[in-house]
Amino acid sequence: MNEEKAVSQPNGHRSVGYATKFDQKAESFQAKAEKHGKGKKKDDGAQPAGGFDDTAIPRAPPGFNVKFTFHRASKLPMADINTMSSDPYVLATLTTSLPPRHKQDPPMTFRTPTVRRNCDPVWNSEWIVANVPANGFALKARIYDEDPADHDDRLGNVHVYVDSLTNNFGGIREQSYKIKKRMGSKRAYFIRGCAAMFNRGVHMSGELFISVEVLGKTDTDNGGRLWTVGPCNWSQHLSPMVGRLAGTKEPGKDGKTEKYAFQANQIQLAGPVPASLYHRYVEFRPFVKGMFTSTSLRGRVLHHALHHQHNRIYNYDRDTIYGSLPSPSRDLTLQFLDLVHHDKGGRIYTYVLTLDGIWRFTETGKEFGIDLLSKHTMHSDVNIYIAFSGEFFIRRLKTPHKEGSPDDQPTHPPSDIGDGPPQDEPPKDPAYYSLIIDNDSGTYRPNAKLLPQLKEFLQKNLPGIKIVTLDCNGDKEKMDKWKNEQRERKKAEGKHTAVVQGDSSSLSSSDEEDLDQQEGMAKGEGKRSTKDKVKEKVEEPLQKVENIRKGDREREERETEDDMAESSQ
């Protein structure tokens, strides 16, 4: 497709692959949203103290369920000179005219899995979004090369614009879009240019193939917000380096050994998240606002440190495990139980639920360095607004079909119940397990009155499992008792396992580099506490502020202004 030519669709709608039209439409969407926001009652401009926010979702007619499919790419540049290939993935952002509840709500985004060592990757990744308005959308797809040892290199952009949607929308069928090289990695295109000089079969202009299909009207009484319908994608990332620093271990396949690893999990739950689940960070200290908004020097340093932590913990590399299920089902519940090692230890997890239903959680540990700043802020990637947050853990029930709370019957822990490790395999039926979840989060302080809505949403996405909610204030005595039993169980089970370091092949390149640095510092400076090591690793020193300003700020500004730069060409 010519870079400056609109593609006509059979039904008369257009999809445009050039930056100028995309910029105009995106700006139009933003202007409409801001104009709508000015009509909302917002008083004197005073910010709330934080926590639960009862701002209503703006009213709008119901939109359409739209399925985006990222099929494949061809002729991508080579970002890795050692392999003469790339590890590409797509990060897509969807923009519409719907006004957000708050101007700083996070955008709608989607990430495909990474295809390793391939300049002609095939993803066939689907993303179904509800309530896309009738006046269309602007879709921006950025193609990146994954590089755990460094920042991911951008390989180019594709812009897709549709100006109207109806039930008769003909759709876009595996349309090819020319990848814009303007903001791509100069190194990657230099390598490909060198290859093209010696091989006539190597081309400089890549393409991305995308489909767009309208699935029908969204079944809702208010079309004022977007949400992800599916699929339910999940990922599990293990970091041996962070595990060694934090002292967290994962069970081996034999059930008798453990290895150092810190596990970060993400599950895309099927929306919509209940509209009432809407919480803002709490300004419990003067520096907190600056930390979220980067409006002060100290705030910018903390914001950068937390963002760095999030990227480190929820990193993607060659050992990251991906999976996808078309919709909530018993299989998704079993996958969740597998991620939390349902019967292999008394673990407690810290979680955040985003506004679009992404459930992020890692094991909670007082010794882990994120406690130096904020666990939930790190999990949310320093988002101002989220749906809910707190902690949860799993207990196995002796009598799975008995009604009532787990404290009405024997559970593991604290009791020893048969059919479980280390001798036997635990049951695979979700009915045997109870998810105990609370609102214990000082960062966002979720409203305890909304726990029933959280329970209903999770029950819909994890069918078969019993869910019990606890108020961190009203149920504090029970909550503390059960969490202490979890910790004691983990200590007891840890005595029966041996810790192994694991193969060096299980470390990512970035982990190997970081471990070498830690070991070198330990030899030169003597023994230091784990917290000191982690603190040094995750917090940016004040003397690096200038580097932060010159580096990260320029990258962030370039990310948001690249369309304007392209259109000026």
Side-chain angles (χ1 to χ4, degrees), residues 50-280:
F52 173 64
D53 189 335
D54 62 358
T55 301
I57 294 174
R59 301 293 302 182
F64 296 89
N65 285 359
V66 179
K67 180 170 73 173
F68 302 92
T69 305
F70 303 91
H71 294 284
R72 66 189 189 278
S74 64
K75 303 184 284 291
L76 292 180
M78 306 162 190
D80 188 346
I81 195 170
N82 294 321
T83 62
M84 294 299 290
S85 65
S86 294
D87 298 323
Y89 67 90
V90 176
L91 182 63
T93 302
L94 183 65
T95 304
T96 72
S97 61
L98 294 179
R101 276 195 274 187
H102 188 276
K103 64 180 181 180
Q104 291 176 306
D105 281 354
M108 287 285 293
T109 60
F110 173 79
R111 186 195 195 278
T112 70
T114 302
V115 176
R116 304 290 167 190
R117 296 190 177 186
N118 202 320
C119 290
D120 299 289
V122 176
W123 296 286
N124 286 325
S125 293
E126 296 179 350
W127 182 30
I128 303 175
V129 180
N131 260 342
V132 180
N135 63 353
F137 62 85
L139 179 74
K140 181 172 183 177
R142 295 184 176 101
I143 303 97
Y144 287 95
D145 167 65
E146 184 180 286
D147 187 358
D150 197 356
H151 70 276
D152 296 349
D153 291 323
R154 196 182 332 171
L155 305 181
N157 305 328
V158 160
H159 303 141
V160 179
Y161 155 70
V162 170
D163 57 7
S164 67
L165 293 174
T166 67
N167 281 320
N168 298 320
F169 176 68
I172 299 172
R173 309 285 182 180
E174 207 162 335
Q175 176 68 52
S176 67
Y177 294 92
K178 188 174 181 181
I179 297 173
K180 312 299 177 186
K181 303 186 289 289
R182 171 68 176 78
M183 301 307 296
S185 166
K186 293 179 174 58
R187 179 184 62 177
Y189 279 100
F190 174 77
I191 296 173
R192 190 165 188 89
C194 292
M197 292 174 61
F198 300 99
N199 187 345
R200 293 184 177 180
V202 177
H203 301 278
M204 288 298 294
S205 298
E207 293 179 308
L208 179 64
F209 294 81
I210 299 175
S211 292
V212 179
E213 179 183 358
V214 171
L215 303 181
K217 273 280 189 181
T218 302
D219 184 15
T220 181
D221 61 348
N222 181 11
R225 62 167 173 158
L226 304 171
W227 70 76
T228 294
V229 176
C232 297
N233 299 322
W234 60 269
S235 66
Q236 176 193 84
H237 176 69
L238 294 174
S239 174
M241 184 275 293
V242 177
R244 196 155 111 178
L245 291 177
T248 56
K249 309 177 185 70
E250 295 298 324
K253 295 181 179 180
D254 57 7
K256 298 180 181 179
T257 61
E258 290 183 328
K259 60 182 180 180
Y260 285 112
F262 189 81
Q263 177 180 326
N265 310 280
Q266 291 191 99
I267 304 178
Q268 173 66 68
L269 302 179
V273 174
S276 58
L277 303 187
Y278 192 59
H279 293 87
R280 177 183 177 273

Side-chain angles (χ1 to χ4, degrees), residues 66 70 82 170 301 397 406 449 455 510 538 562:
V66 179
F70 303 91
N82 294 321
V301 172
L397 307 173
K449 294 180 180 179
K455 177 180 178 178
S510 57
V538 300
D562 56 354

Side-chain angles (χ1 to χ4, degrees), residues 442-495:
T443 304
Y444 296 98
R445 299 181 188 175
N447 190 335
K449 294 180 180 179
L450 300 175
L451 284 168
Q453 285 91 315
L454 175 68
K455 177 180 178 178
E456 182 181 0
F457 175 69
L458 293 177
Q459 198 75 73
K460 181 184 74 172
N461 278 275
L462 303 174
I465 195 172
K466 178 171 286 190
I467 298 178
V468 177
T469 58
L470 294 177
D471 175 6
C472 64
N473 293 317
D475 300 313
K476 180 172 173 51
E477 183 177 347
K478 179 189 291 186
M479 185 184 75
D480 290 344
K481 175 177 177 290
W482 285 0
K483 286 184 178 180
N484 286 333
E485 289 171 350
Q486 291 286 123
R487 297 184 185 103
E488 291 302 316
R489 172 59 61 180
K490 184 176 181 182
K491 289 180 184 177
E493 292 185 353
K495 295 177 182 178

Side-chain angles (χ1 to χ4, degrees), residues 386-411:
I386 64 163
F388 221 79
S389 59
E391 294 183 340
F392 72 80
F393 51 91
I394 300 295
R395 287 191 158 194
R396 183 155 68 86
L397 307 173
K398 185 175 183 179
T399 53
H401 302 292
K402 179 181 178 180
E403 295 296 329
S405 174
D407 53 1
D408 297 333
Q409 62 170 299
T411 63

